[in-house]
Amino acid sequence: MATFLYRLGRGAFRRRRFVALVWVALLFVAGFGAATASAPTSGSFSIPGTEAQKAFDLLDKKFPGMAADGATARIVIKAPAGAKVTDPGVKAEVEKVISGLKSGPGAAEVATVDDPYRMQAVSQDGSTTYISVKYKVSGMELKDATRDALTESGKDAQAQGLGVEIGGDALMVAPETGSGEIIGIMVAAIVLVITFGSLIAAGLPLLTALIGVGIGVSSITALANVLDLGSTTSTLAMMIGLAVGIDYALFIVSRYRAELAEGRERDEAAGRAAGTAGSAVVFAGLTVVIALVGLAVVNIPMLTKMGVAAAGTVVIAVLVALTLVPAILGFAGKKVLPAGEKSKLFGKGKPADAKPKPNGGTRWARFVLRRPVMVLLAGVIGLGIIAIPASKLEMGLPDDGAQPVSTTQRKAYDLMSEGFGPGFNGPLMVVVDGDKALADSTAERIKVLPGVAAVAQPIQNEAKDAAIVSVIPKDRPSSHATEELVREIRAGNGDDVLVSGQTAMNIDFSQKMNDALLPYLALVVGLAFLLLMLVFRSILVPLKAALGFLLSVVAALGAVVAVFQWGWLASVFGVEQTGPIMSMMPIFMVGVVFGLAMDYEVFLVTRMREAYVHGERPGQAVVTGFRYSARVVVAAAVIMIAVFAGFLGASDQMVKMIGFGLAIAVLFDAFVVRMAIVPAVLALLGHRAWWLPKWLDRILPNVDVEGESLRKHLGEDSGPAEGPDKDRELVNA
């Protein structure tokens, strides 16, 4: 592989005009397709195998035209002080709101609008009422005109002194991530300039990463409606594509500058960079692809499509790093300086006869080699303590009660809780597949359950062979009590009585994600273990990589629980409402962080493996790996932390949680696991770290990620091994 990538990189450098033209053409084609395609929707959402999904399917069959999975909205209206919503003047304003929803802009997407007076949706004190609106499409599919009509529906009533707030998933919009990405790109630019000491060299990873992300996201946008991808798919693809795109280009450029520093010609340096660092890029990309495609284990079509689409963007990032980066290096020419040299922007470099000093990576590696047990215990115990809150992890999907207090959704939620009780914010929809007698008996059985506040009369379909029973819990939708109530209603009913509605769907979704976590983790870690065993020709190194990743992820989950569930330092991170951790968070964190963690592992340890194979002792190989890779790994990690931390400023609680979780996970994995625990373990293992049984060595194909075959191809020898005292010399230095 190294020889093939060497030829590919050198060929791209020499034929840079053709390579650049191909990538520009691809960007133009993808951009044209995205510009001419219709706007993407949210895509269809289903949770196969769950009772809530079965109930939705039954509703579509028994109640055609009801739009069971359509968006819902609740317009909560509070009368002025001293008045009631049943007063003629207030009632007239409420009826104007109803009329506007039925006949105004966006009415074509409205399925039903309930009259609160006919439905007896008036609080006991007469101060509050609410209008329930059902739409034909999901919240993410609503047109902007329809959503605007909803938000404007109560303006006239507010002008007359009434309090009007709106809740429900009809106000759901795709999270805005532009500011987070901009912050990440700005920080990336600063870090790259500091790392390379040159504006040109720093700009290359950013330029190529943006081209790769542009092609990937534009392709997703162009195919969104054809493949039913949805608008949120491009968000994940952009975040992952930008992250790995900068990382991969960063490592290629860094190795290119190192080859220049050794006196290589520029085309030769580009080829060697692609053959060595490029091999690491390929296998790092494969680990990310495995993590993303592995989301299919969850068996939720939306997540599967998101994972596959994001994996496609990662593949593009790998191809960009192997071909476009060498081509751009060819255009840059002498403006990209060898490692160790700095541009005039940073002043004059060191005199030619100055004695080189060990860099930070070398000094840190030597420190760890002198005190491996202390460093290992400090890292493991520290992350272990931070991971303790993860044992109390509670998963769920946040409702409007988790929104910032300044939003209309949160105000509507609070008004409903005050006027009717918290359970009215998440009614349960019980679907009865049977006649009126079964529906009535079901309603009577549910009424006596301790967690029930109210049960409405069953509503039958036209064929009189199915009915809907609306159940109001006593507690808020995301509470344990409501979850237990759903289980009690479902107990012993068979397929004739099914519980659905948004609250039940959230409960089923959380349970499905919880059930899929261990199989997903086993699949991703297992496949990556085999892949890393192939790369490093070792059993203990991949095992150490997997265990270190698990430690960093559990510690990150502990930090998320402490902040977002327990409320520690909540004000620092702008958390206004604590509650259960978003059910997607653990699997999402495992997939994204695993890919990035294995990136750092592959780039760092591959350099050590290369040095070891070429004759260096284990301790010296660790120092060599840190000498050449630590600075770049640190830069890549800082960039990723900045990208993810940029989402902490979002108003949406889920986006904030994702940003915090991913940023803290990368912090733990890159700086504690990869930079401290990994060298400490390798120092303690010595030669044993690279042990592989002979029978397994014969079976595994040799992918030559360390470039041994490349050296032979170029007519170079590995060189003699260092003396047995070299480790002691380095440790005592």
Side-chain angles (χ1 to χ4, degrees):
M1 174 181 285
T3 304
F4 168 76
L5 294 178
Y6 163 79
R7 291 171 177 166
L8 181 64
R10 190 175 62 170
F13 185 96
R14 291 178 173 178
R15 297 172 177 82
R16 47 189 172 271
R17 291 180 177 81
F18 173 75
V19 173
L21 181 63
V22 170
W23 282 108
V24 170
L26 289 174
L27 180 61
F28 174 79
V29 171
F32 179 78
T36 56
S38 55
T41 63
S42 67
S44 57
F45 180 80
S46 62
I47 313 178
T50 62
E51 181 168 320
Q53 186 62 48
K54 292 177 182 177
F56 278 128
D57 295 340
L58 181 61
L59 283 171
D60 287 337
K61 179 181 178 182
K62 299 290 187 177
F63 292 82
M66 181 182 177
D69 57 350
T72 58
R74 188 177 293 111
I75 304 173
V76 187
I77 301 174
K78 187 175 181 64
K84 294 185 176 182
V85 293
T86 52
D87 293 345
V90 176
K91 189 173 182 179
E93 293 297 330
V94 173
E95 289 174 348
K96 286 182 183 179
V97 175
I98 297 173
S99 176
L101 290 169
K102 288 182 176 180
S103 59
E109 290 188 307
V110 175
T112 59
V113 181
D114 292 339
D115 186 327
Y117 302 105
R118 185 173 60 84
M119 303 297 295
Q120 298 181 346
V122 177
S123 62
Q124 290 185 353
D125 61 2
S127 65
T128 311
T129 186
Y130 64 92
I131 304 169
S132 294
V133 186
K134 185 75 173 179
Y135 291 91
K136 299 176 182 178
V137 296
S138 67
M140 295 294 288
E141 293 175 296
L142 282 178
K143 295 178 181 178
D144 290 339
T146 304
R147 191 175 287 109
D148 292 342
L150 174 63
T151 56
E152 296 291 329
S153 59
K155 295 297 183 182
D156 291 341
Q158 286 179 326
Q160 299 300 319
L162 278 67
V164 181
E165 304 295 344
I166 305 172
D169 60 351
L171 294 182
M172 181 188 302
V173 294
E176 296 292 336
T177 60
S179 60
E181 298 297 339
I182 291 172
I183 293 173
I185 291 173
M186 291 174 61
V187 173
I190 296 172
V191 173
L192 289 171
V193 169
I194 295 174
T195 302
F196 289 138
S198 167
L199 290 174
I200 300 297
L204 288 178
L206 283 176
L207 174 63
T208 55
L210 290 174
I211 291 175
V213 168
I215 294 173
V217 173
S218 296
S219 300
I220 290 172
T221 304
L223 299 173
N225 287 326
V226 176
L227 301 180
D228 194 26
L229 295 178
S231 58
T232 55
T233 304
S234 60
T235 302
L236 176 63
M238 180 183 296
M239 182 169 59
I240 302 299
L242 186 61
V244 300
I246 295 176
D247 275 5
Y248 298 162
L250 175 62
F251 284 105
I252 295 290
V253 174
S254 177
R255 186 58 183 258
Y256 171 77
R257 296 178 71 237
E259 295 293 338
L260 288 179
E262 294 184 8
R264 316 285 187 198
E265 293 296 328
R266 293 190 176 271
D267 61 338
E268 182 70 11
R272 287 174 180 261
T276 51
S279 297
V281 165
V282 170
F283 284 96
L286 280 176
T287 60
V288 182
V289 169
I290 288 172
L292 292 171
V293 175
L295 288 171
V297 173
V298 183
N299 193 28
I300 295 180
M302 181 193 72
L303 287 180
T304 301
K305 293 174 183 178
M306 288 176 64
V308 172
T313 306
V314 173
V315 172
I316 293 174
V318 172
L319 295 175
V320 165
L322 297 176
T323 58
L324 183 59
V325 170
I328 299 296
L329 288 171
F331 285 114
K334 295 182 179 180
K335 293 179 181 178
V336 176
L337 303 176
E341 294 187 20
K342 294 184 178 181
S343 66
K344 294 181 179 179
L345 178 68
F346 291 85
K348 295 181 179 180
K350 298 177 182 178
D353 58 349
K355 185 178 180 180
K357 294 182 180 179
N359 61 17
T362 301
R363 293 193 299 271
W364 171 251
R366 289 174 176 173
F367 170 80
V368 175
L369 288 174
R370 287 194 295 268
R371 300 174 179 83
V373 175
M374 182 192 74
V375 172
L376 178 61
L377 290 178
V380 172
I381 293 174
L383 291 182
I385 293 174
I386 299 174
I388 291 175
S391 62
K392 303 297 183 181
L393 173 67
E394 298 177 5
M395 292 198 298
L397 286 180
D399 50 36
D400 284 348
Q403 295 280 353
V405 293
S406 59
T407 62
T408 185
Q409 296 99 315
R410 175 62 182 274
K411 292 176 181 178
Y413 182 96
D414 292 340
L415 285 176
M416 287 291 295
S417 298
E418 295 169 5
F420 300 91
F424 275 78
N425 284 295
L428 304 176
M429 184 187 300
V430 180
V431 185
V432 181
D433 188 10
D435 56 14
K436 185 176 185 301
L438 178 60
D440 290 339
S441 63
T442 299
E444 292 299 321
R445 182 181 68 83
I446 295 174
K447 283 180 181 179
V448 300
L449 295 178
V452 174
V455 178
Q457 288 295 322
I459 300 175
Q460 288 192 289
N461 63 346
E462 293 183 2
K464 306 297 183 183
D465 61 351
I468 299 174
V469 181
S470 182
V471 179
I472 306 298
K474 288 182 179 179
D475 292 282
R476 58 191 175 89
S478 59
S479 67
H480 282 296
T482 300
E483 186 175 344
E484 188 61 31
L485 175 61
V486 171
R487 291 196 180 98
E488 290 179 356
I489 296 175
R490 287 172 170 173
N493 286 321
D495 294 332
D496 293 334
V497 179
L498 305 173
V499 182
S500 190
Q502 189 63 45
T503 299
M505 181 70 87
N506 290 350
I507 292 172
D508 287 352
F509 181 82
S510 299
Q511 186 62 48
K512 194 170 184 68
M513 298 296 289
N514 188 43
D515 293 342
L517 180 58
L518 288 180
Y520 175 68
L521 196 60
L523 173 69
V524 169
V525 174
L527 289 177
F529 178 86
L530 295 176
L531 188 64
L532 293 178
M533 186 168 61
L534 192 67
V535 172
F536 297 127
R537 317 296 295 181
S538 166
I539 291 179
L540 296 180
V541 170
L543 180 62
K544 171 263 307 170
L547 293 178
F549 159 73
L550 292 175
L551 181 60
S552 61
V553 165
V554 175
L557 282 175
V560 170
V561 170
V563 174
F564 289 87
Q565 186 175 309
W566 293 357
W568 294 4
L569 300 177
S571 59
V572 174
F573 296 102
V575 179
E576 298 185 19
Q577 178 68 42
T578 59
I581 303 305
M582 184 179 63
S583 51
M584 283 182 60
M585 192 67 190
I587 280 185
F588 187 78
M589 185 181 294
V590 167
V592 175
V593 177
F594 182 81
L596 295 176
M598 292 305 103
D599 279 358
Y600 306 142
E601 176 77 15
V602 169
F603 287 121
L604 188 63
V605 182
T606 296
R607 193 68 165 171
M608 299 178 191
R609 169 73 181 174
E610 181 181 342
Y612 179 77
V613 168
H614 292 156
E616 295 186 4
R617 300 282 294 174
Q620 183 185 4
V622 171
V623 174
T624 299
F626 269 78
R627 179 186 303 127
Y628 290 109
S629 300
R631 182 182 180 91
V632 184
V633 169
V634 168
V638 170
I639 290 170
M640 292 308 99
I641 292 170
V643 169
F644 297 139
F647 294 99
L648 283 172
S651 59
D652 187 274
Q653 182 89 333
M654 289 190 293
V655 175
K656 190 189 296 288
M657 187 184 298
I658 289 173
F660 174 83
L662 294 181
I664 202 73
V666 171
L667 176 68
F668 291 158
D669 195 272
F671 291 98
V672 180
V673 174
R674 307 303 153 193
M675 302 298 292
I677 294 178
V678 165
V681 171
L682 291 177
L684 293 173
L685 290 176
H687 287 287
R688 293 184 298 273
W690 309 107
W691 172 79
L692 186 69
K694 292 183 178 179
W695 63 269
L696 187 57
D697 186 52
R698 289 192 297 268
I699 295 174
L700 293 177
N702 185 9
V703 297
D704 188 33
V705 72
E706 65 277 354
E708 182 66 18
S709 64
L710 177 58
R711 288 202 173 196
K712 293 179 180 179
H713 173 75
L714 298 174
E716 298 177 0
D717 294 326
S718 298
E722 298 288 344
D725 294 330
K726 189 65 178 179
D727 284 324
R728 192 178 299 108
E729 175 187 336
L730 284 166
V731 170
N732 295 328

